[in-house]
Amino acid sequence: AQTVTQSQPEMSVQEAETVTLSCTYDTSESDYYLFWYKQPPSRQMILVIRQEAYKQQNATENRFSVNFQKAAKSFSLKISDSQLGDAAMYFCAYRSAERNTGTASKLTFGTGTRLQVTL
Amino acid sequence: GAVVSQHPSWVICKSGTSVKIECRSLDFQATTMFWYRQFPKQSLMLMATSNEGSKATYEQGVEKDKFLINHASLTLSTLTVTSAHPEDSSFYICSAGRVGPYEQYFGPGTRLTVT
């Protein structure tokens, strides 16, 4: 079974600064997908960024980028130019690539990192 | 991204009664829907996975007779909490997914309070 570990329960960053959230995972699979989701106080889960394991290039989405190290099984999220609206719970998630099952595979979540953004 | 709705957003029920939560995928046909439970300040815990027209697959430790899941169409799944007790009080979230390198689309969640 796959596991996802987020070792930072809480992080704090000043507005306009950069912060990196850590995530490691354990799997014996070679094909999979990784995600970062954000959960603000509204509790609506919002996709931040995704990475396909077969792609060597790190994914980027505006101020959000990842450092994907497949051999090390590490998938950290970097938030640049932090904004007050970035304050939320961030979850790292793993999903196996389906193999002709016709069923979307499930997400395995980490325990989350609560990010505070200060003025 | 796709929109997933949940209804109701908040429900209070008395101990011993049943409550049904609806999850609708509004603008895409989901091959699979997922039901999660989330306690305060904790991660999402997967309860079950369901495909249209098939029986749901429950995670270990989840009582399938207590948490009934019906997936009638590619756009609608329901979770019924039967004979609810105060310990069933929680935040329930559904999501819709499809095969491939796509994210799951999450509903806004339902807060269940059992008195």
PDB file of all heavy atoms in Angstrom, chain A residues 33 37 39 43-45 47 50 91 95 98 103-107 109-110, chain B residues 32 34 38 43 46 51 59 91 98-104 106-108 111:
ATOM      1  N   TYR A  33       0.423   9.429 -10.216  1.00  0.00           N
ATOM      2  CA  TYR A  33       0.227  10.873 -10.274  1.00  0.00           C
ATOM      3  C   TYR A  33       0.346  11.438  -8.863  1.00  0.00           C
ATOM      4  O   TYR A  33      -0.040  10.780  -7.881  1.00  0.00           O
ATOM      5  CB  TYR A  33      -1.156  11.228 -10.838  1.00  0.00           C
ATOM      6  CG  TYR A  33      -1.573  10.396 -12.039  1.00  0.00           C
ATOM      7  CD1 TYR A  33      -2.673   9.563 -11.970  1.00  0.00           C
ATOM      8  CD2 TYR A  33      -0.853  10.461 -13.234  1.00  0.00           C
ATOM      9  CE1 TYR A  33      -3.053   8.789 -13.061  1.00  0.00           C
ATOM     10  CE2 TYR A  33      -1.237   9.690 -14.328  1.00  0.00           C
ATOM     11  CZ  TYR A  33      -2.337   8.861 -14.234  1.00  0.00           C
ATOM     12  OH  TYR A  33      -2.710   8.094 -15.315  1.00  0.00           O
ATOM     13  N   TYR A  37      -3.302  19.613  -2.988  1.00  0.00           N
ATOM     14  CA  TYR A  37      -4.615  20.238  -2.826  1.00  0.00           C
ATOM     15  C   TYR A  37      -4.543  21.243  -1.687  1.00  0.00           C
ATOM     16  O   TYR A  37      -3.811  21.061  -0.713  1.00  0.00           O
ATOM     17  CB  TYR A  37      -5.683  19.185  -2.492  1.00  0.00           C
ATOM     18  CG  TYR A  37      -6.221  18.420  -3.668  1.00  0.00           C
ATOM     19  CD1 TYR A  37      -5.639  17.211  -4.066  1.00  0.00           C
ATOM     20  CD2 TYR A  37      -7.319  18.878  -4.388  1.00  0.00           C
ATOM     21  CE1 TYR A  37      -6.142  16.491  -5.132  1.00  0.00           C
ATOM     22  CE2 TYR A  37      -7.830  18.156  -5.461  1.00  0.00           C
ATOM     23  CZ  TYR A  37      -7.227  16.960  -5.823  1.00  0.00           C
ATOM     24  OH  TYR A  37      -7.726  16.247  -6.888  1.00  0.00           O
ATOM     25  N   GLN A  39      -6.958  23.348   1.106  1.00  0.00           N
ATOM     26  CA  GLN A  39      -8.270  23.400   1.756  1.00  0.00           C
ATOM     27  C   GLN A  39      -8.340  24.640   2.632  1.00  0.00           C
ATOM     28  O   GLN A  39      -7.831  24.657   3.745  1.00  0.00           O
ATOM     29  CB  GLN A  39      -8.541  22.139   2.582  1.00  0.00           C
ATOM     30  CG  GLN A  39      -9.983  22.056   3.095  1.00  0.00           C
ATOM     31  CD  GLN A  39     -10.264  20.805   3.914  1.00  0.00           C
ATOM     32  OE1 GLN A  39      -9.450  20.376   4.720  1.00  0.00           O
ATOM     33  NE2 GLN A  39     -11.441  20.207   3.716  1.00  0.00           N
ATOM     34  N   ARG A  43     -13.365  24.868   3.598  1.00  0.00           N
ATOM     35  CA  ARG A  43     -13.217  23.409   3.518  1.00  0.00           C
ATOM     36  C   ARG A  43     -13.437  22.850   2.113  1.00  0.00           C
ATOM     37  O   ARG A  43     -13.496  21.644   1.941  1.00  0.00           O
ATOM     38  CB  ARG A  43     -14.119  22.705   4.538  1.00  0.00           C
ATOM     39  CG  ARG A  43     -13.805  23.148   5.961  1.00  0.00           C
ATOM     40  CD  ARG A  43     -14.531  22.362   7.009  1.00  0.00           C
ATOM     41  NE  ARG A  43     -13.872  21.087   7.287  1.00  0.00           N
ATOM     42  CZ  ARG A  43     -14.188  20.300   8.308  1.00  0.00           C
ATOM     43  NH1 ARG A  43     -15.135  20.648   9.141  1.00  0.00           N
ATOM     44  NH2 ARG A  43     -13.574  19.141   8.479  1.00  0.00           N
ATOM     45  N   GLN A  44     -13.540  23.722   1.124  1.00  0.00           N
ATOM     46  CA  GLN A  44     -13.627  23.257  -0.261  1.00  0.00           C
ATOM     47  C   GLN A  44     -12.232  22.864  -0.726  1.00  0.00           C
ATOM     48  O   GLN A  44     -11.300  23.665  -0.669  1.00  0.00           O
ATOM     49  CB  GLN A  44     -14.167  24.372  -1.163  1.00  0.00           C
ATOM     50  CG  GLN A  44     -14.079  24.084  -2.648  1.00  0.00           C
ATOM     51  CD  GLN A  44     -15.073  23.019  -3.092  1.00  0.00           C
ATOM     52  OE1 GLN A  44     -16.275  23.166  -2.934  1.00  0.00           O
ATOM     53  NE2 GLN A  44     -14.562  21.939  -3.666  1.00  0.00           N
ATOM     54  N   MET A  45     -12.070  21.645  -1.197  1.00  0.00           N
ATOM     55  CA  MET A  45     -10.780  21.172  -1.683  1.00  0.00           C
ATOM     56  C   MET A  45     -10.510  21.761  -3.066  1.00  0.00           C
ATOM     57  O   MET A  45     -11.342  21.644  -3.973  1.00  0.00           O
ATOM     58  CB  MET A  45     -10.769  19.645  -1.745  1.00  0.00           C
ATOM     59  CG  MET A  45     -10.887  18.971  -0.399  1.00  0.00           C
ATOM     60  SD  MET A  45      -9.389  19.106   0.575  1.00  0.00           S
ATOM     61  CE  MET A  45      -8.361  17.865  -0.221  1.00  0.00           C
ATOM     62  N   LEU A  47      -7.606  22.030  -6.224  1.00  0.00           N
ATOM     63  CA  LEU A  47      -6.354  21.537  -6.781  1.00  0.00           C
ATOM     64  C   LEU A  47      -5.383  22.698  -6.945  1.00  0.00           C
ATOM     65  O   LEU A  47      -5.716  23.739  -7.509  1.00  0.00           O
ATOM     66  CB  LEU A  47      -6.591  20.879  -8.135  1.00  0.00           C
ATOM     67  CG  LEU A  47      -5.326  20.399  -8.848  1.00  0.00           C
ATOM     68  CD1 LEU A  47      -4.753  19.185  -8.132  1.00  0.00           C
ATOM     69  CD2 LEU A  47      -5.601  20.092 -10.305  1.00  0.00           C
ATOM     70  N   ARG A  50      -0.515  19.480 -10.196  1.00  0.00           N
ATOM     71  CA  ARG A  50      -0.405  18.030 -10.359  1.00  0.00           C
ATOM     72  C   ARG A  50       0.884  17.696 -11.100  1.00  0.00           C
ATOM     73  O   ARG A  50       1.406  18.516 -11.875  1.00  0.00           O
ATOM     74  CB  ARG A  50      -1.615  17.499 -11.108  1.00  0.00           C
ATOM     75  CG  ARG A  50      -1.370  17.242 -12.591  1.00  0.00           C
ATOM     76  CD  ARG A  50      -2.582  16.751 -13.314  1.00  0.00           C
ATOM     77  NE  ARG A  50      -3.266  17.890 -13.899  1.00  0.00           N
ATOM     78  CZ  ARG A  50      -4.552  17.884 -14.204  1.00  0.00           C
ATOM     79  NH1 ARG A  50      -5.279  16.831 -13.922  1.00  0.00           N
ATOM     80  NH2 ARG A  50      -5.107  18.940 -14.733  1.00  0.00           N
ATOM     81  N   PHE A  91      -2.669  19.639   1.353  1.00  0.00           N
ATOM     82  CA  PHE A  91      -2.552  18.191   1.380  1.00  0.00           C
ATOM     83  C   PHE A  91      -1.813  17.703   0.138  1.00  0.00           C
ATOM     84  O   PHE A  91      -2.142  18.089  -0.990  1.00  0.00           O
ATOM     85  CB  PHE A  91      -3.935  17.525   1.401  1.00  0.00           C
ATOM     86  CG  PHE A  91      -4.694  17.753   2.670  1.00  0.00           C
ATOM     87  CD1 PHE A  91      -5.710  18.697   2.725  1.00  0.00           C
ATOM     88  CD2 PHE A  91      -4.399  17.015   3.806  1.00  0.00           C
ATOM     89  CE1 PHE A  91      -6.430  18.902   3.895  1.00  0.00           C
ATOM     90  CE2 PHE A  91      -5.110  17.214   4.977  1.00  0.00           C
ATOM     91  CZ  PHE A  91      -6.123  18.166   5.026  1.00  0.00           C
ATOM     92  N   ARG A  95      -1.810   9.126  -6.388  1.00  0.00           N
ATOM     93  CA  ARG A  95      -2.819   8.317  -7.069  1.00  0.00           C
ATOM     94  C   ARG A  95      -2.141   7.391  -8.067  1.00  0.00           C
ATOM     95  O   ARG A  95      -1.326   7.827  -8.870  1.00  0.00           O
ATOM     96  CB  ARG A  95      -3.809   9.239  -7.787  1.00  0.00           C
ATOM     97  CG  ARG A  95      -5.029   8.537  -8.260  1.00  0.00           C
ATOM     98  CD  ARG A  95      -6.037   9.510  -8.846  1.00  0.00           C
ATOM     99  NE  ARG A  95      -6.580   8.897 -10.039  1.00  0.00           N
ATOM    100  CZ  ARG A  95      -6.786   9.509 -11.187  1.00  0.00           C
ATOM    101  NH1 ARG A  95      -6.536  10.773 -11.303  1.00  0.00           N
ATOM    102  NH2 ARG A  95      -7.260   8.849 -12.198  1.00  0.00           N
ATOM    103  N   GLU A  98      -4.211   4.071 -13.508  1.00  0.00           N
ATOM    104  CA  GLU A  98      -5.088   2.932 -13.718  1.00  0.00           C
ATOM    105  C   GLU A  98      -4.551   2.018 -14.818  1.00  0.00           C
ATOM    106  O   GLU A  98      -3.899   2.471 -15.740  1.00  0.00           O
ATOM    107  CB  GLU A  98      -6.497   3.409 -14.108  1.00  0.00           C
ATOM    108  CG  GLU A  98      -7.175   4.274 -13.066  1.00  0.00           C
ATOM    109  CD  GLU A  98      -6.856   5.738 -13.221  1.00  0.00           C
ATOM    110  OE1 GLU A  98      -6.033   6.068 -14.092  1.00  0.00           O
ATOM    111  OE2 GLU A  98      -7.418   6.555 -12.469  1.00  0.00           O
ATOM    112  N   THR A 103     -12.004   2.066 -13.759  1.00  0.00           N
ATOM    113  CA  THR A 103     -12.325   2.744 -12.495  1.00  0.00           C
ATOM    114  C   THR A 103     -11.211   3.719 -12.165  1.00  0.00           C
ATOM    115  O   THR A 103     -10.035   3.353 -12.210  1.00  0.00           O
ATOM    116  CB  THR A 103     -12.452   1.723 -11.355  1.00  0.00           C
ATOM    117  OG1 THR A 103     -13.507   0.817 -11.641  1.00  0.00           O
ATOM    118  CG2 THR A 103     -12.720   2.418 -10.032  1.00  0.00           C
ATOM    119  N   ALA A 104     -11.594   4.941 -11.854  1.00  0.00           N
ATOM    120  CA  ALA A 104     -10.594   5.920 -11.432  1.00  0.00           C
ATOM    121  C   ALA A 104      -9.986   5.476 -10.114  1.00  0.00           C
ATOM    122  O   ALA A 104     -10.698   5.031  -9.207  1.00  0.00           O
ATOM    123  CB  ALA A 104     -11.237   7.297 -11.281  1.00  0.00           C
ATOM    124  N   SER A 105      -8.692   5.564  -9.999  1.00  0.00           N
ATOM    125  CA  SER A 105      -8.028   5.118  -8.771  1.00  0.00           C
ATOM    126  C   SER A 105      -8.204   6.149  -7.659  1.00  0.00           C
ATOM    127  O   SER A 105      -8.449   7.333  -7.902  1.00  0.00           O
ATOM    128  CB  SER A 105      -6.549   4.873  -9.023  1.00  0.00           C
ATOM    129  OG  SER A 105      -5.952   6.013  -9.594  1.00  0.00           O
ATOM    130  N   LYS A 106      -8.060   5.691  -6.438  1.00  0.00           N
ATOM    131  CA  LYS A 106      -8.300   6.550  -5.284  1.00  0.00           C
ATOM    132  C   LYS A 106      -7.080   7.395  -4.965  1.00  0.00           C
ATOM    133  O   LYS A 106      -5.958   7.098  -5.354  1.00  0.00           O
ATOM    134  CB  LYS A 106      -8.677   5.700  -4.077  1.00  0.00           C
ATOM    135  CG  LYS A 106      -7.565   4.777  -3.590  1.00  0.00           C
ATOM    136  CD  LYS A 106      -8.033   3.924  -2.426  1.00  0.00           C
ATOM    137  CE  LYS A 106      -6.912   3.044  -1.908  1.00  0.00           C
ATOM    138  NZ  LYS A 106      -7.356   2.156  -0.799  1.00  0.00           N
ATOM    139  N   LEU A 107      -7.328   8.465  -4.227  1.00  0.00           N
ATOM    140  CA  LEU A 107      -6.256   9.316  -3.732  1.00  0.00           C
ATOM    141  C   LEU A 107      -5.835   8.851  -2.337  1.00  0.00           C
ATOM    142  O   LEU A 107      -6.677   8.515  -1.515  1.00  0.00           O
ATOM    143  CB  LEU A 107      -6.719  10.762  -3.639  1.00  0.00           C
ATOM    144  CG  LEU A 107      -6.883  11.552  -4.938  1.00  0.00           C
ATOM    145  CD1 LEU A 107      -7.605  12.859  -4.662  1.00  0.00           C
ATOM    146  CD2 LEU A 107      -5.526  11.819  -5.552  1.00  0.00           C
ATOM    147  N   PHE A 109      -3.988  10.508   0.806  1.00  0.00           N
ATOM    148  CA  PHE A 109      -3.599  11.830   1.292  1.00  0.00           C
ATOM    149  C   PHE A 109      -2.554  11.748   2.399  1.00  0.00           C
ATOM    150  O   PHE A 109      -2.532  10.802   3.190  1.00  0.00           O
ATOM    151  CB  PHE A 109      -4.823  12.568   1.850  1.00  0.00           C
ATOM    152  CG  PHE A 109      -5.749  13.098   0.804  1.00  0.00           C
ATOM    153  CD1 PHE A 109      -6.872  12.377   0.425  1.00  0.00           C
ATOM    154  CD2 PHE A 109      -5.512  14.321   0.195  1.00  0.00           C
ATOM    155  CE1 PHE A 109      -7.742  12.864  -0.543  1.00  0.00           C
ATOM    156  CE2 PHE A 109      -6.370  14.819  -0.769  1.00  0.00           C
ATOM    157  CZ  PHE A 109      -7.488  14.094  -1.138  1.00  0.00           C
ATOM    158  N   GLY A 110      -1.746  12.787   2.475  1.00  0.00           N
ATOM    159  CA  GLY A 110      -0.908  12.990   3.645  1.00  0.00           C
ATOM    160  C   GLY A 110      -1.731  13.634   4.750  1.00  0.00           C
ATOM    161  O   GLY A 110      -2.916  13.937   4.572  1.00  0.00           O
TER     162      GLY A 110
ATOM    163  N   THR B  32     -16.141   7.354 -11.609  1.00  0.00           N
ATOM    164  CA  THR B  32     -16.032   6.902 -10.234  1.00  0.00           C
ATOM    165  C   THR B  32     -16.306   8.059  -9.282  1.00  0.00           C
ATOM    166  O   THR B  32     -15.894   9.184  -9.545  1.00  0.00           O
ATOM    167  CB  THR B  32     -14.609   6.361  -9.958  1.00  0.00           C
ATOM    168  OG1 THR B  32     -14.238   5.453 -11.000  1.00  0.00           O
ATOM    169  CG2 THR B  32     -14.538   5.645  -8.619  1.00  0.00           C
ATOM    170  N   PHE B  34     -16.194   9.107  -5.024  1.00  0.00           N
ATOM    171  CA  PHE B  34     -15.552   8.748  -3.773  1.00  0.00           C
ATOM    172  C   PHE B  34     -16.231   9.489  -2.625  1.00  0.00           C
ATOM    173  O   PHE B  34     -16.653  10.640  -2.786  1.00  0.00           O
ATOM    174  CB  PHE B  34     -14.066   9.141  -3.802  1.00  0.00           C
ATOM    175  CG  PHE B  34     -13.293   8.551  -4.945  1.00  0.00           C
ATOM    176  CD1 PHE B  34     -13.270   9.175  -6.180  1.00  0.00           C
ATOM    177  CD2 PHE B  34     -12.581   7.374  -4.786  1.00  0.00           C
ATOM    178  CE1 PHE B  34     -12.561   8.641  -7.243  1.00  0.00           C
ATOM    179  CE2 PHE B  34     -11.864   6.830  -5.842  1.00  0.00           C
ATOM    180  CZ  PHE B  34     -11.859   7.464  -7.074  1.00  0.00           C
ATOM    181  N   GLN B  38     -14.067  13.643   7.197  1.00  0.00           N
ATOM    182  CA  GLN B  38     -12.978  14.457   7.727  1.00  0.00           C
ATOM    183  C   GLN B  38     -13.333  14.975   9.106  1.00  0.00           C
ATOM    184  O   GLN B  38     -14.336  15.668   9.274  1.00  0.00           O
ATOM    185  CB  GLN B  38     -12.681  15.631   6.787  1.00  0.00           C
ATOM    186  CG  GLN B  38     -11.451  16.428   7.202  1.00  0.00           C
ATOM    187  CD  GLN B  38     -11.147  17.586   6.275  1.00  0.00           C
ATOM    188  OE1 GLN B  38     -12.039  18.201   5.715  1.00  0.00           O
ATOM    189  NE2 GLN B  38      -9.867  17.890   6.110  1.00  0.00           N
ATOM    190  N   SER B  43      -6.873  14.925   8.203  1.00  0.00           N
ATOM    191  CA  SER B  43      -6.899  14.698   6.764  1.00  0.00           C
ATOM    192  C   SER B  43      -8.204  14.036   6.351  1.00  0.00           C
ATOM    193  O   SER B  43      -9.038  13.675   7.180  1.00  0.00           O
ATOM    194  CB  SER B  43      -5.703  13.826   6.373  1.00  0.00           C
ATOM    195  OG  SER B  43      -5.606  13.727   4.963  1.00  0.00           O
ATOM    196  N   LEU B  46     -10.768   8.204   3.300  1.00  0.00           N
ATOM    197  CA  LEU B  46     -11.628   7.596   2.293  1.00  0.00           C
ATOM    198  C   LEU B  46     -12.527   6.554   2.937  1.00  0.00           C
ATOM    199  O   LEU B  46     -12.061   5.680   3.676  1.00  0.00           O
ATOM    200  CB  LEU B  46     -10.772   6.942   1.196  1.00  0.00           C
ATOM    201  CG  LEU B  46     -11.542   6.269   0.069  1.00  0.00           C
ATOM    202  CD1 LEU B  46     -12.327   7.300  -0.738  1.00  0.00           C
ATOM    203  CD2 LEU B  46     -10.598   5.490  -0.841  1.00  0.00           C
ATOM    204  N   ASN B  51     -18.712   3.000  -8.453  1.00  0.00           N
ATOM    205  CA  ASN B  51     -18.894   3.165  -9.889  1.00  0.00           C
ATOM    206  C   ASN B  51     -20.372   3.056 -10.216  1.00  0.00           C
ATOM    207  O   ASN B  51     -21.121   2.367  -9.521  1.00  0.00           O
ATOM    208  CB  ASN B  51     -18.132   2.095 -10.666  1.00  0.00           C
ATOM    209  CG  ASN B  51     -16.643   2.283 -10.586  1.00  0.00           C
ATOM    210  OD1 ASN B  51     -16.147   3.380 -10.749  1.00  0.00           O
ATOM    211  ND2 ASN B  51     -15.933   1.214 -10.313  1.00  0.00           N
ATOM    212  N   GLU B  59     -13.695   0.925   2.340  1.00  0.00           N
ATOM    213  CA  GLU B  59     -12.381   0.805   2.962  1.00  0.00           C
ATOM    214  C   GLU B  59     -12.507  -0.014   4.249  1.00  0.00           C
ATOM    215  O   GLU B  59     -13.580  -0.110   4.860  1.00  0.00           O
ATOM    216  CB  GLU B  59     -11.809   2.179   3.266  1.00  0.00           C
ATOM    217  CG  GLU B  59     -11.512   2.997   2.024  1.00  0.00           C
ATOM    218  CD  GLU B  59     -10.461   2.384   1.132  1.00  0.00           C
ATOM    219  OE1 GLU B  59      -9.311   2.190   1.598  1.00  0.00           O
ATOM    220  OE2 GLU B  59     -10.786   2.097  -0.043  1.00  0.00           O
ATOM    221  N   PHE B  91     -17.706  15.781   9.026  1.00  0.00           N
ATOM    222  CA  PHE B  91     -17.790  16.478   7.748  1.00  0.00           C
ATOM    223  C   PHE B  91     -17.599  15.438   6.659  1.00  0.00           C
ATOM    224  O   PHE B  91     -16.577  14.740   6.645  1.00  0.00           O
ATOM    225  CB  PHE B  91     -16.702  17.557   7.692  1.00  0.00           C
ATOM    226  CG  PHE B  91     -16.857  18.549   6.582  1.00  0.00           C
ATOM    227  CD1 PHE B  91     -17.913  19.445   6.576  1.00  0.00           C
ATOM    228  CD2 PHE B  91     -15.942  18.599   5.543  1.00  0.00           C
ATOM    229  CE1 PHE B  91     -18.056  20.380   5.559  1.00  0.00           C
ATOM    230  CE2 PHE B  91     -16.069  19.526   4.515  1.00  0.00           C
ATOM    231  CZ  PHE B  91     -17.135  20.419   4.526  1.00  0.00           C
ATOM    232  N   ARG B  98     -12.238  10.421 -12.858  1.00  0.00           N
ATOM    233  CA  ARG B  98     -12.260   9.662 -14.108  1.00  0.00           C
ATOM    234  C   ARG B  98     -10.872   9.106 -14.354  1.00  0.00           C
ATOM    235  O   ARG B  98      -9.883   9.573 -13.791  1.00  0.00           O
ATOM    236  CB  ARG B  98     -12.702  10.543 -15.272  1.00  0.00           C
ATOM    237  CG  ARG B  98     -12.002  11.859 -15.352  1.00  0.00           C
ATOM    238  CD  ARG B  98     -12.571  12.761 -16.405  1.00  0.00           C
ATOM    239  NE  ARG B  98     -12.045  14.107 -16.290  1.00  0.00           N
ATOM    240  CZ  ARG B  98     -12.103  15.016 -17.248  1.00  0.00           C
ATOM    241  NH1 ARG B  98     -12.679  14.723 -18.400  1.00  0.00           N
ATOM    242  NH2 ARG B  98     -11.621  16.220 -17.065  1.00  0.00           N
ATOM    243  N   VAL B  99     -10.822   8.092 -15.189  1.00  0.00           N
ATOM    244  CA  VAL B  99      -9.575   7.415 -15.491  1.00  0.00           C
ATOM    245  C   VAL B  99      -8.624   8.372 -16.209  1.00  0.00           C
ATOM    246  O   VAL B  99      -9.029   9.140 -17.059  1.00  0.00           O
ATOM    247  CB  VAL B  99      -9.853   6.165 -16.357  1.00  0.00           C
ATOM    248  CG1 VAL B  99      -8.557   5.524 -16.815  1.00  0.00           C
ATOM    249  CG2 VAL B  99     -10.704   5.162 -15.594  1.00  0.00           C
ATOM    250  N   GLY B 100      -7.375   8.321 -15.817  1.00  0.00           N
ATOM    251  CA  GLY B 100      -6.384   9.156 -16.475  1.00  0.00           C
ATOM    252  C   GLY B 100      -5.735  10.132 -15.511  1.00  0.00           C
ATOM    253  O   GLY B 100      -6.065  10.166 -14.330  1.00  0.00           O
ATOM    254  N   PRO B 101      -4.827  10.957 -16.020  1.00  0.00           N
ATOM    255  CA  PRO B 101      -4.048  11.859 -15.152  1.00  0.00           C
ATOM    256  C   PRO B 101      -4.831  13.091 -14.742  1.00  0.00           C
ATOM    257  O   PRO B 101      -4.355  14.222 -14.874  1.00  0.00           O
ATOM    258  CB  PRO B 101      -2.856  12.226 -16.044  1.00  0.00           C
ATOM    259  CG  PRO B 101      -3.439  12.208 -17.421  1.00  0.00           C
ATOM    260  CD  PRO B 101      -4.425  11.071 -17.431  1.00  0.00           C
ATOM    261  N   TYR B 102      -6.014  12.877 -14.254  1.00  0.00           N
ATOM    262  CA  TYR B 102      -6.893  13.989 -13.900  1.00  0.00           C
ATOM    263  C   TYR B 102      -7.072  14.049 -12.399  1.00  0.00           C
ATOM    264  O   TYR B 102      -7.017  13.061 -11.700  1.00  0.00           O
ATOM    265  CB  TYR B 102      -8.261  13.825 -14.570  1.00  0.00           C
ATOM    266  CG  TYR B 102      -8.172  13.601 -16.058  1.00  0.00           C
ATOM    267  CD1 TYR B 102      -8.417  12.350 -16.597  1.00  0.00           C
ATOM    268  CD2 TYR B 102      -7.811  14.643 -16.911  1.00  0.00           C
ATOM    269  CE1 TYR B 102      -8.315  12.133 -17.952  1.00  0.00           C
ATOM    270  CE2 TYR B 102      -7.713  14.425 -18.275  1.00  0.00           C
ATOM    271  CZ  TYR B 102      -7.962  13.171 -18.796  1.00  0.00           C
ATOM    272  OH  TYR B 102      -7.859  12.947 -20.123  1.00  0.00           O
ATOM    273  N   GLU B 103      -7.342  15.274 -11.917  1.00  0.00           N
ATOM    274  CA  GLU B 103      -7.614  15.385 -10.496  1.00  0.00           C
ATOM    275  C   GLU B 103      -9.018  14.914 -10.196  1.00  0.00           C
ATOM    276  O   GLU B 103      -9.859  14.802 -11.089  1.00  0.00           O
ATOM    277  CB  GLU B 103      -7.470  16.836 -10.020  1.00  0.00           C
ATOM    278  CG  GLU B 103      -8.575  17.773 -10.477  1.00  0.00           C
ATOM    279  CD  GLU B 103      -8.209  18.552 -11.703  1.00  0.00           C
ATOM    280  OE1 GLU B 103      -7.507  17.986 -12.580  1.00  0.00           O
ATOM    281  OE2 GLU B 103      -8.617  19.718 -11.795  1.00  0.00           O
ATOM    282  N   GLN B 104      -9.274  14.627  -8.940  1.00  0.00           N
ATOM    283  CA  GLN B 104     -10.634  14.425  -8.476  1.00  0.00           C
ATOM    284  C   GLN B 104     -11.236  15.802  -8.229  1.00  0.00           C
ATOM    285  O   GLN B 104     -10.558  16.703  -7.754  1.00  0.00           O
ATOM    286  CB  GLN B 104     -10.659  13.603  -7.188  1.00  0.00           C
ATOM    287  CG  GLN B 104     -10.358  12.131  -7.394  1.00  0.00           C
ATOM    288  CD  GLN B 104     -10.445  11.341  -6.106  1.00  0.00           C
ATOM    289  OE1 GLN B 104     -11.032  11.792  -5.107  1.00  0.00           O
ATOM    290  NE2 GLN B 104      -9.878  10.151  -6.105  1.00  0.00           N
ATOM    291  N   PHE B 106     -13.877  17.879  -6.110  1.00  0.00           N
ATOM    292  CA  PHE B 106     -14.498  17.710  -4.804  1.00  0.00           C
ATOM    293  C   PHE B 106     -15.756  18.550  -4.647  1.00  0.00           C
ATOM    294  O   PHE B 106     -15.822  19.696  -5.122  1.00  0.00           O
ATOM    295  CB  PHE B 106     -13.510  18.097  -3.696  1.00  0.00           C
ATOM    296  CG  PHE B 106     -12.432  17.072  -3.496  1.00  0.00           C
ATOM    297  CD1 PHE B 106     -11.296  17.066  -4.298  1.00  0.00           C
ATOM    298  CD2 PHE B 106     -12.557  16.092  -2.528  1.00  0.00           C
ATOM    299  CE1 PHE B 106     -10.300  16.117  -4.131  1.00  0.00           C
ATOM    300  CE2 PHE B 106     -11.565  15.132  -2.350  1.00  0.00           C
ATOM    301  CZ  PHE B 106     -10.445  15.142  -3.159  1.00  0.00           C
ATOM    302  N   GLY B 107     -16.729  17.978  -3.946  1.00  0.00           N
ATOM    303  CA  GLY B 107     -17.890  18.744  -3.525  1.00  0.00           C
ATOM    304  C   GLY B 107     -17.528  19.633  -2.352  1.00  0.00           C
ATOM    305  O   GLY B 107     -16.459  19.488  -1.754  1.00  0.00           O
ATOM    306  N   PRO B 108     -18.421  20.544  -1.983  1.00  0.00           N
ATOM    307  CA  PRO B 108     -18.139  21.487  -0.899  1.00  0.00           C
ATOM    308  C   PRO B 108     -18.285  20.885   0.496  1.00  0.00           C
ATOM    309  O   PRO B 108     -17.946  21.538   1.484  1.00  0.00           O
ATOM    310  CB  PRO B 108     -19.180  22.590  -1.125  1.00  0.00           C
ATOM    311  CG  PRO B 108     -20.298  21.894  -1.804  1.00  0.00           C
ATOM    312  CD  PRO B 108     -19.682  20.835  -2.658  1.00  0.00           C
ATOM    313  N   ARG B 111     -21.814  19.019   6.499  1.00  0.00           N
ATOM    314  CA  ARG B 111     -21.577  18.900   7.935  1.00  0.00           C
ATOM    315  C   ARG B 111     -22.765  18.202   8.566  1.00  0.00           C
ATOM    316  O   ARG B 111     -23.892  18.694   8.501  1.00  0.00           O
ATOM    317  CB  ARG B 111     -21.383  20.275   8.567  1.00  0.00           C
ATOM    318  CG  ARG B 111     -21.040  20.223  10.053  1.00  0.00           C
ATOM    319  CD  ARG B 111     -20.889  21.631  10.623  1.00  0.00           C
ATOM    320  NE  ARG B 111     -19.894  22.406   9.895  1.00  0.00           N
ATOM    321  CZ  ARG B 111     -18.586  22.305  10.076  1.00  0.00           C
ATOM    322  NH1 ARG B 111     -18.118  21.465  10.980  1.00  0.00           N
ATOM    323  NH2 ARG B 111     -17.761  23.051   9.383  1.00  0.00           N
TER     324      ARG B 111
END
